[in-house]
Amino acid sequence: MATHASEHPHAATAPARAPGRAATLLRHPWIVEGAWTVLAMAIGLLIATLVYHLWDAKLHVPFNGSGDGALNLLLAKDLIDHGWYFTNHALGAPSGQELYDYSAFDADNLQVIGMKILTLGISEPVALVNVYFILGFAFTSAAGYLGSRALGFSRGVALLGSAVFTALPYHFERGASHLFLGEYFVIPGAVWLIVTALQGQPILVAREGVTGWRRWLTPRTFAVAFVCLLAGGCGLYYAVFTILLVGLAAVLRAIATRSWRSGVPGVLAAAAIGVVLIVNISPALAYQHKHGKDEPVAKRFAFESELYATSLTQMLLPIGNHRIGAFAKLTDRHTTTTPVRGEMGQPLGLLGALGFIGLLLVGSSRLLRGPPERPDRFTGLLGAATVGGVLAFLWATFGGIASFFAYVISPQIRAWSRLTPFIAFFALLAVLVVAERLRGRIIASGGLGRRVAAGAVLAAVAVLGVLDQTSPKDEPVYASTIGSWANNQHFVSALEQSVPKGSMILQLPFHAFPEAGDVNGMQDYDLLQGYLHSRDLRWSYGAMKGRPADWTDEAEQQPLPWVLRAAVAAGFAGVYIDRAGYADHGVAAEKTVRRVLGGAPAVTGDDWGRLVFYSGLALRARQQQTMTPAQRAALGNALVHPVDLEYGDGVYDEEPGAAGAPPFRWIGPDATIDVVNPGSQATGSFEATAAAGEGSMTVTAPGQAPTVVRFTNGREKVRVPLTLPAHGTVRLTFHADVPRQGVPPETRDLRVQLFGAQFAADGAS
């Protein structure tokens, strides 16, 4: 008979030692999951380091300082210098810049808050953008890992998914230019919500044995709240995409189950994201409610939904500049021949392409043969991923639902190809299911060696996936960027020393802000370079187009000599010229500047001879000797506070002239035009050319005799002298005693054609 140790008289009776508190804490599931999340973040940083060769980068030199990259630096400098980004007195001089109308940032406020937190330790704009951009790889990788874990994958497989998702071509094509679009860490959580809604699972789960509202205080509730907060606060595009897909998922689930109750959780999640989005953009909404909508800003057109769509071919083809030459040539052949290229960064990569095809095959086979006889824990997930991926593709593809949406509902969301990372994550789920099943087979017999082998296979797949989705061409051209940035810094520093502190600088060529596009060799937002490199100067570029602060649109129509004299009278200390903005490299403009301001450039840049500065201090001294303060003020106000015409009742919209003739407006028998003066008192005249049949038109201004214009079937000049009060309005009334124009089916009462209506300030020539 066997004898137990406890039965032996000399057996050891010491109890087994309980694990210490530290060891127990380290084995806590939350601590373990946190450690794996940190590992995922480290992998994301490693990918960024290797692809971008970060050892060659400079912390204080941007990855991309031109175009949209300059816009990101503007945001960073605003946060550091002004606390927030809505107002900036250093741009749009003299009135300043207000960004309420521009949605580039107002739906990204959570990301902006993240950057603001970084300013506690970073006080230089370029470093702030660079650090946030690189940290984005860590955040995206962590989100990919946690999203995969939430969907039921093991830690090793989730790490595979996070690495491949972080290295999407979309990420590197966005780069530091589209900073917040490239930080797509919100998508894994959004996909989790979409899949949950499609599967009909409860989004919130109450704790058992607890009553009242406290039963909803669970980790899942906090996770859902966090995902909704991120989805609604980290970008307009991703918020709208998530709302649409979660909402559609809820509707499809309700239809499939024939129960509206099954769709309620998804609808509530979509509504919660919508609420966060509205709160996020509420400052802009409040501003526009008070000041009216700024129509010229971020105006979209329906055809752009197809111009910026994706396609199955673009998603399945390899990346451009692929490491394998044959793949690169295949993509290049398509890119150079397709009539619709859309935005770059749409390939899913080899793994994503295989996953997306796999989802389509799974969905098709289910329709033909029904559900599998022995479903496993991933069967429902694959079905939901198929529906989610197909829905996203039908929205994003050329001529898809998005195009119909743009033409019928609204064109404001134009770049539907930015659904690509959603599609990629859905496709990646199919890859992870295969990886999970393969891992299960490898470790089925147990043993440490088998687990190590499974981990090695997953790591190898991850490395191959990252290599397939990245290219040596993704590395920025650091040498040229470093040289250009240093040259611009040197130029602006010399300019700053040549003028008094706090001076206003006039920038040429005039360029609207924002989204005015490239002009000749000057990229959009390149005129921000002066501000980005300066400490205390104020710059004319950057006032919001369509608002009274933007006087440059009117100034561009005036003779350059008058603009220069008026700018100096308004207080500008000189003229900064970006020669790349001119077709003739600024030759004609500089000839005029030399003649009016006198002398050679005060500062020249060695950045390919692109930048030059002419001082206006000598002209200012001459004006102080030859003009009274009131005359200088009037001349300056005529430029920077231009008088505006607001057309009232009886004035119709502008129409193009026939056969190259100038545009005009029809006015009826009675009409009003308000002459609005946003500056100090101004004198001048309302001027226009009018055309009508035989008769007369009477124009009346308050407090003065009427002006009568007589017609003899031709055009006549209209001139009404005016004195405009400071920050005031003068209303002109028109009464046309002429025959009615137009034939049926014209129903408007048209009397006089008005050409070139404007307020001409005294001395504005």
Side-chain angles (χ1 to χ4, degrees):
M1 177 183 288
T3 304
H4 292 285
S6 58
E7 295 173 347
H8 198 279
H10 303 291
T13 58
R17 294 181 60 186
R21 174 177 293 182
T24 302
L25 182 63
L26 290 176
R27 289 198 296 267
H28 190 281
W30 287 70
I31 299 298
V32 174
E33 207 63 62
W36 279 82
T37 303
V38 171
L39 176 59
M41 297 176 73
I43 292 173
L45 293 175
L46 179 64
I47 291 171
T49 300
L50 296 178
V51 174
Y52 282 125
H53 289 196
L54 290 183
W55 51 86
D56 292 330
K58 303 292 184 182
L59 180 63
H60 300 289
V61 176
F63 287 90
N64 185 350
S66 296
D68 287 340
L71 195 63
N72 296 324
L73 294 172
L74 163 64
L75 168 66
K77 199 168 191 297
D78 280 349
L79 294 177
I80 293 171
D81 293 350
H82 308 294
W84 201 243
Y85 65 88
F86 284 142
T87 59
N88 183 342
H89 71 278
L91 288 170
S95 298
Q97 180 188 75
E98 291 186 332
L99 283 175
Y100 292 97
D101 291 310
Y102 190 38
S103 61
F105 300 136
D106 64 9
D108 300 297
N109 281 322
L110 281 183
Q111 296 211 55
V112 178
I113 290 172
M115 290 185 69
K116 182 63 179 177
I117 293 172
L118 290 178
T119 63
L120 297 176
I122 303 174
S123 59
E124 203 278 324
V126 177
L128 178 60
V129 171
N130 288 347
V131 169
Y132 188 79
F133 172 58
I134 296 302
L135 284 177
F137 283 83
F139 296 148
T140 303
S141 187
Y145 171 80
L146 293 173
S148 301
R149 288 287 289 154
L151 291 169
F153 294 102
S154 62
R155 295 189 176 100
V157 172
L159 276 184
L160 161 64
S162 70
V164 175
F165 182 67
T166 302
L168 285 178
Y170 181 92
H171 204 159
F172 296 99
E173 287 292 344
R174 295 294 161 196
S177 294
H178 285 175
L179 181 64
F180 293 153
L181 283 171
E183 313 284 29
Y184 50 87
F185 46 77
V186 65
I187 291 175
V191 169
W192 173 60
L193 280 181
I194 296 164
V195 168
T196 300
L198 284 169
Q199 290 182 299
Q201 297 175 351
I203 290 181
L204 300 180
V205 179
R207 288 187 296 173
E208 296 182 0
V210 180
T211 60
W213 60 269
R214 290 183 179 82
R215 64 195 179 111
W216 298 106
L217 296 181
T218 65
R220 187 180 181 92
T221 298
F222 288 110
V224 171
F226 184 66
V227 169
C228 290
L229 183 65
L230 286 182
C234 290
L236 181 65
Y237 274 97
Y238 298 148
V240 171
F241 294 164
T242 305
I243 291 170
L244 285 174
L245 292 176
V246 172
L248 282 172
V251 171
L252 290 177
R253 185 66 192 178
I255 294 173
T257 59
R258 298 181 181 180
S259 170
W260 64 268
R261 294 180 182 276
S262 63
V264 169
V267 171
L268 292 177
I273 297 169
V275 170
V276 174
L277 176 61
I278 292 173
V279 172
N280 191 20
I281 64 176
S282 59
L285 296 177
Y287 181 86
Q288 292 180 6
H289 177 74
K290 181 178 180 180
H291 299 279
K293 188 175 182 180
D294 191 356
E295 293 293 343
V297 174
K299 185 176 179 61
R300 309 303 188 211
F301 301 93
F303 73 87
E304 292 178 306
S305 64
E306 295 187 346
L307 188 63
Y308 298 109
T310 188
S311 69
L312 185 63
T313 301
Q314 289 170 316
M315 291 195 307
L316 299 185
L317 282 175
I319 63 171
N321 300 310
H322 196 279
R323 299 172 192 274
I324 299 175
F327 287 179
K329 290 180 180 179
L330 174 62
T331 299
D332 182 65
R333 182 154 57 92
H334 174 266
T335 302
T336 55
T337 57
T338 180
V340 181
R341 294 180 57 181
E343 292 187 309
M344 303 301 290
Q346 298 176 45
L348 301 179
L350 179 60
L351 290 178
L354 291 175
F356 189 68
I357 293 172
L359 289 180
L360 296 179
L361 294 177
V362 167
S364 301
S365 64
R366 291 281 174 83
L367 290 175
L368 294 175
R369 62 180 175 84
E373 296 180 358
R374 291 184 296 175
D376 62 11
R377 62 192 179 99
F378 292 119
T379 300
L381 174 62
L382 281 175
T386 300
V387 175
V390 170
L391 277 177
F393 174 71
L394 290 177
W395 273 99
T397 189
F398 179 82
I401 302 174
S403 179
F404 181 81
F405 183 91
Y407 279 97
V408 175
I409 300 177
S410 171
Q412 284 304 112
I413 301 295
R414 60 173 178 174
W416 293 91
S417 62
R418 295 172 185 178
L419 271 163
T420 298
F422 282 83
I423 299 171
F425 199 78
F426 281 120
L428 193 57
L429 295 181
V431 176
L432 298 189
V433 169
V434 174
E436 195 68 69
R437 289 170 175 169
L438 177 62
R439 173 183 175 275
R441 291 184 180 181
I442 294 175
I443 66 173
S445 59
L448 179 61
R450 290 278 185 164
R451 292 185 175 273
V452 171
V457 170
L458 295 176
V461 174
V463 169
L464 291 175
V466 171
L467 290 175
D468 170 68
Q469 295 174 178
T470 59
S471 165
K473 296 294 181 66
D474 290 328
E475 179 190 354
V477 184
Y478 291 116
S480 63
T481 304
I482 291 171
S484 175
W485 191 256
N487 286 332
N488 291 343
Q489 179 66 62
H490 175 76
F491 173 82
V492 175
S493 178
L495 188 163
E496 209 156 25
Q497 295 174 21
S498 71
V499 297
K501 184 177 180 180
S503 292
M504 295 192 298
I505 307 299
L506 177 69
Q507 293 175 276
L508 296 177
F510 291 123
H511 197 63
F513 176 93
E515 294 186 348
D518 301 346
V519 177
N520 298 310
M522 184 179 75
Q523 292 187 50
D524 206 3
Y525 308 120
D526 274 0
L527 287 178
L528 287 173
Q529 292 298 322
Y531 167 70
L532 294 176
H533 289 285
S534 67
R535 291 168 295 178
D536 53 40
L537 296 179
R538 300 170 64 196
W539 304 83
S540 64
Y541 173 70
M544 185 64 60
K545 64 184 179 184
R547 292 298 185 186
D550 180 24
W551 51 268
T552 61
D553 184 52
E554 294 285 341
E556 193 171 13
Q557 312 304 318
Q558 303 297 333
L560 182 57
W562 178 83
V563 169
L564 296 172
R565 289 193 292 270
V568 172
F572 286 90
V575 182
Y576 164 112
I577 298 176
D578 187 340
R579 291 166 170 162
Y582 294 94
D584 66 348
H585 205 61
V587 172
E590 285 192 65
K591 183 178 179 180
T592 301
V593 171
R594 285 193 181 96
R595 176 169 57 84
V596 175
L597 299 186
V603 182
T604 56
D606 54 352
D607 186 7
W608 302 282
R610 176 172 173 175
L611 302 178
V612 64
F613 174 72
Y614 289 85
S615 174
L617 299 182
L619 176 59
R620 177 184 294 177
R622 293 197 300 271
Q623 287 181 341
Q624 290 172 344
Q625 294 176 351
T626 60
M627 302 174 67
T628 66
Q631 288 174 328
R632 294 199 307 272
L635 179 59
N637 276 320
L639 176 70
V640 299
H641 298 298
V643 172
D644 187 33
L645 301 183
E646 294 184 356
Y647 298 98
D649 295 337
V651 184
Y652 297 96
D653 292 341
E654 187 175 80
E655 300 179 23
F664 65 92
R665 293 175 184 268
W666 281 107
I667 65 174
D670 293 286
T672 61
I673 297 178
D674 287 341
V675 185
V676 182
N677 178 27
S680 59
Q681 179 175 303
T683 59
S685 58
F686 170 84
E687 297 181 358
T689 299
E694 292 188 358
S696 65
M697 178 176 70
T698 303
V699 185
T700 304
Q704 63 186 58
T707 298
V708 180
V709 181
R710 302 190 185 282
F711 299 103
T712 56
N713 286 312
R715 296 190 180 189
E716 300 293 339
K717 296 290 185 180
V718 180
R719 185 177 185 276
V720 181
L722 295 173
T723 298
L724 304 179
H727 310 291
T729 299
V730 171
R731 170 163 293 183
L732 300 177
T733 59
F734 296 75
H735 175 71
D737 188 12
V738 295
R740 182 172 179 172
Q741 306 293 312
V743 296
E746 177 61 67
T747 59
R748 296 175 298 173
D749 190 352
L750 309 179
R751 300 300 177 100
V752 179
Q753 289 176 304
L754 208 60
F755 298 85
Q758 63 171 338
F759 175 80
D762 289 344
S765 61

